[in-house]
Amino acid sequence: MKLNNLRALFLFELLCKATFTMVFYPLCKAAFRLLLWVTGYSYLTLENLPRFMRHPATIAVLFLILLAGALFYLVETTSLIVFYQGFVKEKKISIVQILFPGFLMTGELLRQKKRGLVLLFSLLNALVTLSPMLIIFAIQLKVPAYIAKTVTGDLYGAASVVIFLLFCLLVNFFGVYSLYYCVLGGYDFIKSFRKSARLVWRRKYQFLFCLLGVNLLLFLFYVLLYIGVLTLVCYIIYRTKSEQVLMAAMLTAYDEVMVYMGVFITVTMQIVNYGVLARMFSAYGMAGKEGYSEPNRIEKMQEQIIYEDAVREMEFEDRMPKKLHSRYTQLTAAAVVAVIFVNLYMIGDAFRNGSLTDRETLFGTYITAHRGSSNAAPENTLEALEQAISDLADFAEIDVQETKDGVVILMHDVSLQRTTGVRAQVGELTYAQTRELDAGGWFSKEFIGVRVPTLEEALLLCKGKINLNIELKAARSSVANESLIQKVLQLIDLYDMQDQCVISCTDPVMLARVKEKNSNIKTGYILSFAYGMFYQVDYIDFFSMKSSFVNESTVKTLHSLGKEVHAWTVNSRMEMERVKQLGVDNIITDNPVLVREVVYEEHMRIGFFKLLGIIGH
């Protein structure tokens, strides 16, 4: 029976998290993009964040998101209360007996006069319960750190934060059984909160010791699990990655492990703590002055569900063949499987179209491999792109031009002489002729025979693996430029890589045409020198500037306007440190491995790298 109940709990939690993945998260992401459009920003930065947050549209959307989150968490909470009350009484519970009463009780809570307080309590409860996941997720972002630094920058701000946290803890501690009394006893929220506070106060030491003891054991389990997972990850990476990219791979893996650990910790803590609270409520709160001894209405509702199911089953068996009846009884499981497959499809599609690589620069500084990893392989070749992927770069920058017969290929110079040894220009040869050229022998003997790739080949290689910064090489003819723009956009659309590609150019007119044809593509203006009011244009999303001309004033000005700053070509460690401190959004380099070490070193954990050293020996 307990095994069946745990299976029902697992399916319920799976449905909750799957629903969040399929509905709530995409809606939040869509709302965020809509807000950027409404507020006139193409990019959210730390500098324009205060104005963005004060905008009426942002306030309204955030309110709706918080309201939706409180509702979602309220349904999950009431359903868990329903489940655990049956579980502690050792009754068999199906997923229908969890979901139906949970939704019904949530609707009843929302019909109370004090429903605003119910939703506020649900939100505060969610902040405390989901805190492990929220904290770990916040570490990955620049914004929470910025907000925390701003708020706690003075004594009053720090005191306000402490008071708010204490308030949340106290409300959750003394009101821990508020929803229990609302759901199981039918009391209004104010009365339920008072009954919960009295119960907790009278048993405060028992509650404290029990909850602290359980969570201490969970903490020890999480520590052991954390060490075990990191050891396994370190070992796998150490055995599969080259020594050159070992550190970069470890830094990337560390952040990924922390995110998944945060989700796992939050889910398991929620399940275990609700189980402990339900058992204590069954012992102290279900009878006597603070409770009731008769069967509560949830039990009656579940018994009615069992009775109605039994009646329907008997009627169905009389009318339908046994084999068909067997299939009918598995519909719930089929629905769960369908939800899982939809989520898997969404994840697979994210890999396919590259949206998983689109983290938004709120997560930190991006790293772009200049012309692919051009220190390790010949520039603008498939081999350089493969190396950029192996080096764990976020972007690969490539240059594109058209051949005489209109095929878009990867080539930086107008002349083919430097990289192929042929005295001719790209536009003078057909695609078939360029395929006969050796684009790798100039770099080293190892790459003799490497061919000039097409943009289509590059897109196929990079799809779902790495973002691309496609630089359009401007020609003298506006007709040729228009043709190049059209063909590049068509290829991006053909392979559904709009979220994985940005387009840059030294010609702002070409960028304006790109935006006219596809407003969703991010565009970047390449500058060797920056002076004056160059940044006041709507059709440019980022400015790619020579690193020596990037300074604090320029970065702050562009960020305040919602524009990104990309710095090129940064190859010395000192310059990497400098532009990182300035807060640039993307570092373009010939050495992405070194940049990753510099960018991610603030996230390093000594124990993590000691572990790597132990495995290495």
Side-chain angles (χ1 to χ4, degrees):
M1 184 181 296
K2 286 188 176 182
L3 184 61
N4 289 332
N5 287 346
L6 290 175
R7 187 184 297 115
L9 177 62
F10 169 75
L11 291 177
F12 168 75
E13 281 296 309
L14 185 63
L15 280 173
C16 284
K17 301 307 180 277
T19 302
F20 179 85
T21 304
M22 288 193 303
V23 180
F24 195 73
Y25 173 72
L27 283 177
C28 288
K29 192 171 183 180
F32 177 75
R33 289 181 175 179
L34 178 64
L35 277 177
L36 288 178
W37 179 76
V38 170
T39 56
Y41 294 115
S42 60
Y43 167 63
L44 189 61
T45 68
L46 300 182
E47 282 72 22
N48 64 27
L49 180 64
R51 279 185 291 168
F52 175 81
M53 295 298 293
R54 289 195 299 267
H55 195 281
T58 303
I59 295 171
V61 169
L62 286 178
F63 174 78
L64 290 175
I65 289 174
L66 290 174
L67 179 62
L71 282 170
F72 185 89
Y73 190 75
L74 185 60
V75 172
E76 185 177 9
T77 302
T78 54
S79 299
L80 285 174
I81 291 171
V82 167
F83 168 81
Y84 277 112
Q85 284 311 298
F87 185 78
V88 296
K89 294 189 175 183
E90 299 184 350
K91 293 186 176 182
K92 185 178 179 180
I93 306 169
S94 67
I95 191 169
V96 178
Q97 292 172 286
I98 302 174
L99 283 172
F100 180 73
F103 277 109
L104 198 64
M105 292 300 100
T106 301
E108 187 173 301
L109 287 170
L110 295 177
R111 286 193 294 271
Q112 290 189 10
K113 292 182 180 180
K114 303 296 184 180
R115 53 181 169 271
L117 288 177
V118 173
L119 290 172
L120 179 60
F121 177 79
S122 177
L123 187 61
L124 294 177
N125 194 9
L127 289 175
V128 173
T129 306
L130 305 180
S131 57
M133 183 171 63
L134 295 175
I135 290 171
I136 292 175
F137 181 71
I139 292 173
Q140 311 298 317
L141 293 163
K142 289 192 289 187
V143 170
Y146 167 79
I147 293 174
K149 183 178 179 180
T150 302
V151 172
T152 60
D154 60 84
L155 181 61
Y156 294 107
S160 300
V161 170
V162 172
I163 292 171
F164 175 73
L165 292 176
L166 287 174
F167 173 75
C168 288
L169 289 173
L170 287 173
V171 167
N172 276 277
F173 181 67
F174 286 104
V176 69
Y177 289 124
S178 298
L179 295 180
Y180 282 75
Y181 283 114
C182 286
V183 171
L184 302 177
Y187 301 111
D188 64 69
F189 181 75
I190 296 295
K191 185 175 181 180
S192 295
F193 188 88
R194 289 171 179 167
K195 290 173 75 67
S196 173
R198 282 198 298 268
L199 174 63
V200 172
W201 179 252
R202 290 174 181 175
R203 304 275 184 174
K204 53 183 175 294
Y205 296 116
Q206 289 165 290
F207 279 100
L208 277 173
F209 290 139
C210 186
L211 289 173
L212 288 176
V214 168
N215 284 282
L216 179 59
L217 291 175
L218 282 174
F219 175 75
L220 295 175
F221 167 71
Y222 295 141
V223 169
L224 293 174
L225 180 65
Y226 170 78
I227 294 172
V229 170
L230 281 187
T231 302
L232 179 61
V233 170
C234 287
Y235 180 79
I236 293 172
I237 294 176
Y238 185 81
R239 293 300 180 188
T240 57
K241 290 289 184 181
S242 65
E243 185 175 347
Q244 180 188 11
V245 299
L246 191 60
M247 184 68 74
M250 288 298 176
L251 289 167
T252 302
Y254 180 82
D255 282 345
E256 295 294 326
V257 168
M258 289 302 293
V259 170
Y260 289 114
M261 281 291 295
V263 174
F264 176 78
I265 289 171
T266 300
V267 172
T268 52
M269 282 187 69
Q270 185 179 7
I271 291 174
V272 172
N273 277 284
Y274 268 92
V276 172
L277 289 171
R279 190 164 292 279
M280 295 176 71
F281 186 73
S282 178
Y284 305 128
M286 293 291 287
K289 293 182 180 180
E290 304 303 334
Y292 31 85
S293 56
E294 69 277 5
N296 65 66
R297 57 201 184 127
I298 298 299
E299 292 173 306
K300 294 178 181 178
M301 191 182 302
Q302 290 175 332
E303 288 170 1
Q304 182 66 24
I305 291 171
I306 294 172
Y307 172 75
E308 291 178 358
D309 283 347
V311 171
R312 280 195 297 268
E313 185 175 346
M314 291 174 64
E315 292 175 350
F316 197 82
E317 282 180 340
D318 291 337
R319 296 195 309 266
M320 306 301 287
K322 193 170 184 179
K323 184 177 180 181
L324 184 59
H325 170 69
S326 177
R327 292 180 182 177
Y328 175 76
T329 57
Q330 297 173 4
L331 282 178
T332 302
V336 173
V337 171
V339 169
I340 295 172
F341 273 108
V342 170
N343 275 267
L344 290 176
Y345 171 79
M346 291 175 61
I347 294 171
D349 185 64
F351 273 113
R352 183 176 61 82
N353 63 32
S355 60
L356 282 185
T357 59
D358 183 21
R359 298 172 299 150
E360 304 294 347
T361 47
L362 294 178
F363 283 82
T365 304
Y366 282 121
I367 301 161
T368 295
H370 183 229
R371 303 176 194 172
S373 284
S374 51
N375 263 4
E379 65 182 57
N380 279 312
T381 62
L382 297 182
E383 286 73 13
L385 291 175
E386 288 174 344
Q387 187 61 51
I389 294 169
S390 296
D391 289 346
L392 304 177
D394 300 305
F395 280 82
E397 183 265 346
I398 55 176
D399 308 278
V400 296
Q401 302 182 54
E402 274 190 275
T403 61
K404 185 178 181 180
D405 53 348
V407 177
V408 182
I409 63 170
L410 272 60
M411 183 64 61
H412 178 270
D413 301 348
V414 174
S415 171
L416 294 162
Q417 185 172 5
R418 180 174 64 87
T419 56
T420 68
V422 174
R423 292 177 177 270
Q425 293 189 355
V426 173
E428 297 173 345
L429 300 183
T430 65
Y431 167 63
Q433 289 173 318
T434 62
R435 293 296 287 181
E436 299 299 321
L437 304 179
D438 180 358
W442 69 274
F443 188 84
S444 71
K445 293 180 179 180
E446 178 187 352
F447 294 98
I448 291 175
V450 168
R451 301 304 174 194
V452 177
T454 64
L455 175 59
E456 187 170 11
E457 289 173 324
L459 292 175
L460 281 169
L461 173 65
C462 298
K463 187 173 179 62
K465 299 176 183 176
I466 190 171
N467 294 311
L468 287 174
N469 180 342
I470 304 172
E471 180 182 343
L472 306 177
K473 305 304 289 186
R476 294 180 180 178
S477 166
S478 60
V479 175
N481 289 340
E482 185 69 18
S483 174
L484 180 61
I485 291 169
Q486 186 67 31
K487 288 175 180 176
V488 169
L489 290 177
Q490 284 177 347
L491 285 170
I492 292 173
D493 184 61
L494 176 64
Y495 290 101
D496 193 20
M497 294 179 66
Q498 179 175 282
D499 292 331
Q500 201 178 334
C501 296
V502 300
I503 291 179
S504 58
C505 188
T506 56
D507 184 353
V509 176
M510 292 181 71
L511 296 175
R513 289 293 295 149
V514 169
K515 276 292 186 184
E516 286 176 15
K517 292 177 178 292
N518 189 336
S519 60
N520 294 318
I521 290 283
K522 284 187 176 181
T523 53
Y525 184 23
I526 302 173
L527 300 161
S528 296
F529 177 73
Y531 181 75
M533 308 297 283
F534 61 91
Y535 42 77
Q536 292 186 334
V537 281
D538 295 332
Y539 55 83
I540 293 174
D541 299 306
F542 66 91
F543 290 84
S544 186
M545 305 170 62
K546 190 173 182 179
S547 67
S548 56
F549 290 105
V550 177
N551 55 49
E552 184 177 2
S553 174
T554 301
V555 172
K556 286 188 174 181
T557 299
L558 290 174
H559 278 179
S560 68
L561 296 171
K563 311 291 184 181
E564 298 178 26
V565 180
H566 297 200
W568 56 268
T569 302
V570 185
N571 289 327
S572 72
R573 190 179 188 95
M574 183 178 295
E575 185 67 356
M576 293 173 192
E577 292 280 3
R578 187 183 77 85
V579 295
K580 185 191 81 168
Q581 293 301 321
L582 288 176
V584 301
D585 307 291
N586 199 314
I587 298 176
I588 303 172
T589 179
D590 295 323
N591 192 347
V593 173
L594 179 59
V595 175
R596 183 167 291 274
E597 292 181 20
V598 171
V599 168
Y600 278 60
E601 64 185 359
E602 63 189 70
H603 299 301
M604 287 186 182
R605 303 293 184 269
I606 297 174
F608 182 61
F609 295 104
K610 282 185 177 180
L611 182 60
L612 174 60
I614 293 171
I615 293 174
H617 288 86

